[in-house]
Amino acid sequence: MSTSFRKRRAIHVDRVSKRFRLGAGIEYSRLTEALAYGGWRWLRSAQQRLSDKSSTEVMPPSVDSPFQDGWFWALRDIDFSVDCGEVVGVIGRNGAGKSTLLKILSRIVTPTSGRVGVRGRVGSLLEVGTGFHPELTGRENVFLNGAILGLRRSEIRKRFDEIVAFAEIEPFLDTPVKRYSSGMTVRLGFSVAAHMEPDVLIVDEVLSVGDQAFQRKCMGKASELGAQGRTVLVVSHNLAAIATMCSRAVLIDQGRLLADATPQSVIERYLQSTDANAGRIEWGNADAPQSDAIRLRSVSVLGTASETPTSQVDIDRELVVSLEYEVLRAIAPYNIHLQLKDESGVLVLASGSLAGRELDQEVAVENIVAPENIMAPGTYRTQCQLPSNLLNDCRYWIGLYIGPEGGSPNLICDPALSFSVHDTSTVRREYFGTWTGPVVRPKLGWRTESIDLNETFR
């Protein structure tokens, strides 16, 4: 494949916006009512054009809210391009506008404003059963989809065996599709879309319907198409899959394009933007957990790359549990005992702020211990740092037990706060499923050596 071919532009999105009317619309029982309302709308739009001749294009709102005058803006000024051979992931929250963008690129809907250019044949899989007739058999639907894509019957026949083998539905090939399970339908749909040699393959989140083995096959096929110079655009909430198979990722939020960069940097920004107000709990004087000596002020989960609280943590990043509290009277340093529990209530991890104090006097809170080892009244901050690649991808709850060293805790806050760990690590390689079993999953050092040949393998 020549370098010039790979650098050709396959998709170009130029300031694309799309809006939808809110509500069910107006229903009519008579033709005269429909004609009258249509005429009224035409006159109203004509008056608006005459009153504002400087702009004939409907523009999205400049404010942050996507709602405007009974309309919802699913996309607002989206602008990016994709070269041939790129595998690009599209991530964002539910309702961010990802599926709308793919429907526009698939020519299912038209944009309200802006332009879209797609080079070559497009194969898309946006919903379960897209393009399939439920009364036709799997065999008949393969030929039907190929014809829709513009292939001759001889071309479809040439690829037919490969499509069936990839989908793994040969025993049900002559059964009507309406009797297929959703997983079988997705397998056949993706196999048809990927093997018809599209110049651009567009895949929505429907791959999550399939089992893990088929998901691996799909991701491998998508990477193979990219290596052949074909363009792949995939929407997925599986961040590990995006990080592994994509060379680039874009982040969409409330219809706007927020980031377009490497998968790791875009995923990091996505995790930081998710639940931006979470990851921290604060108390006032009236409702704060307190004892006769200490009053809690706040508990936060911080990413080491940012001091912004977050409830979504990347498994490849260190995280910090930060406490702010008031010491109400002069005391010796209290032991702050941290516990982490998973969603089933299993105790995963426990650590104390004064553990190992005899070995290292600096284990106590840095720069806040008063002379003669006494904490004076005032506000303090204690932080506990957890290394990367320690916790499995799961949701965890923080419990705090605070009290004198060697004594029972007299301040208990359990649970205090929760956070989720997401696995975007490339250590997964082609595996995109859940790592079942352990709640602690450290990344340990391994080595293999030959006793006979005195060689080391890493």
Side-chain angles (χ1 to χ4, degrees):
M1 183 190 318
S2 66
T3 305
S4 60
F5 175 77
R6 289 183 62 89
K7 290 185 177 180
R8 286 197 306 167
R9 183 174 295 174
I11 299 174
H12 180 63
V13 180
D14 182 17
R15 299 190 64 185
V16 167
S17 300
K18 179 63 180 178
R19 69 175 184 175
F20 299 97
R21 180 176 291 278
L22 297 173
I26 300 177
E27 297 182 357
Y28 305 98
S29 57
R30 292 185 298 179
L31 177 61
T32 54
E33 293 177 349
L35 293 175
Y37 181 71
W40 174 81
R41 287 190 59 187
W42 181 84
L43 288 174
R44 184 179 178 184
S45 62
Q47 291 174 351
Q48 290 177 346
R49 288 195 298 270
L50 290 173
S51 62
D52 187 12
K53 295 182 180 180
S54 61
S55 177
T56 59
E57 186 178 24
V58 180
M59 298 301 295
S62 58
V63 296
D64 291 336
S65 175
F67 299 95
Q68 182 189 46
D69 299 332
W71 294 89
F72 172 74
W73 288 89
L75 295 176
R76 297 186 282 174
D77 287 332
I78 298 293
D79 194 355
F80 71 98
S81 61
V82 182
D83 291 337
C84 295
E86 281 194 292
V87 180
V88 180
V90 182
I91 61 177
R93 305 181 190 182
N94 290 329
K98 307 183 298 297
S99 296
T100 301
L101 174 62
L102 298 195
K103 289 177 181 178
I104 290 176
L105 294 176
S106 301
R107 302 184 180 97
I108 296 174
V109 299
T110 57
T112 303
S113 62
R115 296 180 301 171
V116 171
V118 181
R119 182 190 297 273
R121 179 188 297 154
V122 178
S124 60
L125 185 62
L126 305 182
E127 297 177 3
V128 176
T130 300
F132 283 173
H133 194 294
E135 299 295 337
L136 299 181
T137 65
R139 184 189 304 272
E140 293 167 338
N141 271 293
V142 170
F143 283 92
L144 174 62
N145 273 256
I148 292 174
L149 290 173
L151 296 176
R152 295 186 179 92
R153 190 174 183 85
S154 59
E155 293 177 305
I156 301 172
R157 243 191 237 108
K158 182 180 178 181
R159 303 178 178 92
F160 184 82
D161 292 340
E162 190 177 355
I163 292 172
V164 175
F166 188 92
E168 301 175 356
I169 61 161
E170 188 171 2
F172 310 97
L173 194 57
D174 295 310
T175 301
V177 168
K178 65 181 180 182
R179 298 196 178 101
Y180 286 12
S181 67
S182 58
M184 293 169 61
T185 306
V186 166
R187 290 205 301 270
L188 183 58
F190 180 86
S191 185
V192 171
H195 287 85
M196 292 299 180
E197 297 185 358
D199 298 295
V200 178
L201 177 62
I202 299 175
V203 184
D204 206 342
E205 188 61 49
V206 292
L207 291 183
S208 61
V209 178
D211 54 40
Q212 293 179 6
F214 186 73
Q215 287 183 39
R216 290 197 297 271
K217 287 180 64 175
C218 292
M219 298 306 175
K221 185 63 178 178
S223 300
E224 179 185 331
L225 290 174
Q228 295 174 359
R230 307 182 190 281
T231 303
V232 181
L233 206 64
V234 55
V235 167
S236 180
H237 291 286
N238 189 331
L239 302 182
I242 295 294
T244 303
M245 66 174 288
C246 297
S247 58
R248 179 176 150 210
V250 296
L251 172 61
I252 296 179
D253 184 57
Q254 291 190 351
R256 297 191 184 278
L257 185 67
L258 295 188
D260 182 356
T262 62
Q264 283 298 107
S265 60
V266 173
I267 288 172
E268 182 177 347
R269 179 165 180 180
Y270 170 65
L271 293 179
Q272 291 175 355
S273 66
T274 305
D275 297 333
N277 297 324
R280 178 179 175 88
I281 184 171
E282 298 184 64
W283 295 280
N285 290 336
D287 56 351
Q290 59 183 320
S291 65
D292 60 341
I294 286 183
R295 178 189 295 129
L296 270 179
R297 280 302 186 192
S298 68
V299 181
S300 304
V301 176
L302 309 174
T304 53
S306 172
E307 293 298 323
T308 304
T310 178
S311 64
Q312 312 293 327
V313 180
D314 190 337
I315 197 173
D316 286 329
R317 304 283 184 177
E318 297 177 345
L319 67 94
V320 173
V321 178
S322 179
L323 291 74
E324 294 182 6
Y325 54 92
E326 285 184 80
V327 172
L328 304 179
R329 59 179 174 82
I331 57 172
Y334 270 27
N335 184 47
I336 299 176
H337 184 74
L338 169 71
Q339 291 188 358
L340 288 186
K341 297 178 182 178
D342 67 3
E343 293 175 307
S344 302
V346 176
L347 180 60
V348 175
L349 180 148
S351 180
S353 61
L354 299 184
R357 188 169 168 232
E358 295 80 11
L359 300 177
D360 186 359
Q361 292 294 327
E362 294 181 0
V363 170
V365 181
E366 185 180 0
N367 297 329
I368 64 172
V369 178
E372 300 180 358
N373 205 28
I374 295 297
M375 298 179 71
T379 303
Y380 296 84
R381 177 184 294 115
T382 298
Q383 294 185 334
C384 176
Q385 186 170 350
L386 277 69
S388 61
N389 294 294
L390 174 66
L391 301 173
N392 201 355
D393 46 348
C394 179
R395 189 172 186 86
Y396 298 92
W397 293 89
I398 298 173
L400 298 172
Y401 297 79
I402 304 173
E405 182 181 8
S408 300
N410 51 22
L411 194 163
I412 298 176
C413 185
D414 186 10
L417 191 65
S418 70
F419 64 95
S420 296
V421 174
H422 296 273
D423 189 352
T424 62
S425 174
T426 54
V427 73
R428 286 172 166 262
R429 299 186 186 274
E430 75 281 357
Y431 178 69
F432 306 111
T434 302
W435 291 63
T436 58
V439 288
V440 176
R441 207 187 84 201
K443 191 175 183 180
L444 305 176
W446 290 72
R447 57 177 288 166
T448 301
E449 60 182 359
S450 171
I451 299 176
D452 297 328
L453 301 178
N454 195 26
E455 294 180 354
T456 301
F457 305 90
R458 297 185 183 276

